[in-house]
Amino acid sequence: MLAVSGPGLLLPLLALAAVLAVSGVAKARDRHTAADGFRALGLPGWTVRLPGPEALAALEICLAAALLTSSGGLLEVAAVLACGLCAAYLVIVLRAVRTGAAVRCR
């Protein structure tokens, strides 16, 4: 049950859940492309090996599901985790831009 404390929070919550779901499914469907992207971003080697891309795909899909189906404290935990994941992505992208890494997004 999706319960948000205001209508202004519903759209961002749905958008974040959609982005996480699409990203997770894309990574799950094409593990090699995800691993290539990890390498191109200069991430540590352990993130490329199993279960790196699969674990990230599962995390994104689970967070999307939690954002859409939970309420109360569980929704807050899912939202904080999703924001933390987005912050980690931001750091990785900024690092890639700073180092000039050539990464193709799909």
Side-chain angles (χ1 to χ4, degrees):
M1 172 172 31
L2 187 62
V4 227
S5 64
L9 296 178
L10 183 58
L11 187 57
L13 185 78
L14 293 174
L16 180 56
V19 168
L20 288 171
V22 169
S23 178
V25 168
K27 285 179 185 72
R29 291 183 66 176
D30 192 357
R31 181 229 180 274
H32 297 293
T33 299
D36 291 343
F38 287 15
R39 273 188 220 93
L41 286 166
L43 296 177
W46 62 267
T47 63
V48 177
R49 294 186 294 273
L50 290 175
E54 289 85 355
L56 183 57
L59 174 65
E60 289 176 336
I61 292 168
C62 288
L63 281 175
L67 289 172
L68 294 174
T69 61
S70 60
S71 63
L74 187 56
L75 177 59
E76 290 174 10
V77 169
V80 167
L81 290 174
C83 287
L85 184 60
C86 289
Y89 288 159
L90 177 63
V91 169
I92 291 167
V93 168
L94 290 175
R95 182 177 163 271
V97 168
R98 190 185 75 223
T99 61
V103 181
R104 288 182 14 198
C105 292
R106 296 181 186 208

